[in-house]
């Protein structure tokens, strides 16, 4: 009988003395399990969000797929006012230029390494400058032709027109390929929107 009382007393003291620490230990272990599980779950989600490839090659070559992706990226970034400001200041500085953190994160999500993006935008700006120069020469040719009509086919004006036509052809053939010219002609508005 005495043994049973001792056992009951022991269980009562044990429950009173050690139940709280055991409860706290189990509770803390569960909380740690939840925190670690949440961190692992978030990391797994981030891995799914990571791009499958990042364009990191710094190249001046014109690849129409990359440049179309570049334009789509620019249009996407232009939707956010803060990102647009960062984009305009980033692309109109020299190379290499440190990219603002938020813009860098957005570019990474869109599969761009920031400096590779910058090099292609600079290439696009050069292409536009050549295209713009050819347009200005075309305007000059049209002006001279109009002057020639007024002066009844002045041979001096006709010679200047021929000279400017040769200059325009030289500028385009030496500066832009047919694909580049067509690309800039088609999307010059988007280029001008970010070019300062």
């Amino acid at each position: 009988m005495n043994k049973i009382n001792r056992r009951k007393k022991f269980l009562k003291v044990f429950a009173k003395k050690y139940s709280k620490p055991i409860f706290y230990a189990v509770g803390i272990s569960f909380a740690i399990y939840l925190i670690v599980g949440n961190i692992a779950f978030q990391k797994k989600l981030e891995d799914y969000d990571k791009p499958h490839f990042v364009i990191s090659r710094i190249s001046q070559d014109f690849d129409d797929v990359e440049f179309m992706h570049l334009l789509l990226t620019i249009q996407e970034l232009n939707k956010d006012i803060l990102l647009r400001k960062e984009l305009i200041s980033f692309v109109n500085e020299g190379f290499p230029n440190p990219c603002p953190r938020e813009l860098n994160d957005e570019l990474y999500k869109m599969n761009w390494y920031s400096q590779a993006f910058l090099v292609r935008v600079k290439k696009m700006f050069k292409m536009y400058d050549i295209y713009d120069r050819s347009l200005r020469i075309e305007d000059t040719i049209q002006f001279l032709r109009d002057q020639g009509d007024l002066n009844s086919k002045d041979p001096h004006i006709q010679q200047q027109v021929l000279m400017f036509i040769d200059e325009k052809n030289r500028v385009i053939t030496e500066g832009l390929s047919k694909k580049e010219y067509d690309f800039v002609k088609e999307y010059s508005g988007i280029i001008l929107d970010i070019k300062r």
Side-chain angles (χ1 to χ4, degrees):
M1 191 82 169
N2 204 6
K3 278 188 174 181
I4 295 174
N5 285 338
R6 278 186 181 171
R7 187 177 290 160
K8 281 184 181 179
K9 190 175 180 182
F10 173 77
L11 291 174
K12 203 176 196 182
V13 170
F14 182 83
K16 205 178 212 182
K17 192 171 185 181
Y18 295 108
S19 63
K20 282 186 181 178
I22 290 173
F23 177 77
Y24 287 134
V26 168
I28 290 172
S29 297
F30 184 71
I32 290 171
Y33 172 78
L34 287 177
I35 291 169
V36 170
N38 189 29
I39 290 170
F41 182 72
Q42 291 297 329
K43 188 168 175 66
K44 194 171 185 180
L45 281 180
E46 286 175 10
D47 288 343
Y48 284 128
D49 289 341
K50 284 183 182 174
H52 298 293
F53 67 93
V54 175
I55 300 172
S56 58
R57 183 176 50 91
I58 295 177
S59 169
Q60 287 280 328
D61 298 336
F62 179 79
D63 179 354
D64 49 351
V65 174
E66 280 183 0
F67 275 75
M68 285 305 296
H69 179 52
L70 179 77
L71 288 180
L72 292 172
T73 303
I74 290 169
Q75 286 181 317
E76 201 61 36
L77 293 172
N78 276 337
K79 291 178 183 177
D80 185 331
I81 295 170
L82 294 175
L83 286 175
R84 177 179 163 70
K85 287 180 182 176
E86 287 182 355
L87 172 69
I88 289 172
S89 66
F90 175 62
V91 298
N92 288 294
E93 296 292 324
F95 174 83
N97 180 19
C99 185
R101 185 171 173 223
E102 286 182 29
L103 180 62
N104 190 41
D105 293 344
E106 286 300 314
L107 287 173
Y108 185 76
K109 286 178 189 173
M110 295 180 200
N111 299 349
W112 284 106
Y113 172 65
S114 60
Q115 298 305 313
F117 176 82
L118 180 61
V119 166
R120 282 164 182 81
V121 171
K122 295 290 187 189
K123 165 74 174 169
M124 197 166 58
F125 287 171
K126 284 180 191 173
M127 289 164 40
Y128 179 80
D129 290 340
I130 295 168
Y131 172 75
D132 185 52
R133 186 170 173 207
S134 72
L135 287 182
R136 290 174 192 270
I137 293 172
E138 184 62 42
D139 290 343
T140 305
I141 292 168
Q142 189 59 45
F143 173 77
L144 288 173
R145 283 186 174 150
D146 293 344
Q147 289 294 331
D149 289 343
L150 293 174
N151 294 332
S152 64
K153 306 291 184 190
D154 183 0
H156 180 68
I157 292 178
Q158 293 302 319
Q159 184 181 5
Q160 285 182 332
V161 167
L162 291 174
M163 182 185 72
F164 278 113
I165 289 173
D166 288 343
E167 176 67 14
K168 179 187 171 194
N169 292 336
R170 186 188 64 76
V171 164
I172 291 173
T173 54
E174 287 180 6
L176 296 174
S177 68
K178 176 81 169 94
K179 279 185 175 181
E180 291 172 338
Y181 183 83
D182 292 341
F183 177 84
V184 176
K185 185 177 180 182
E186 182 76 23
Y187 302 107
S188 59
I190 299 171
I191 300 169
L192 265 182
D193 190 39
I194 61 168
K195 189 177 189 310
R196 298 286 179 255

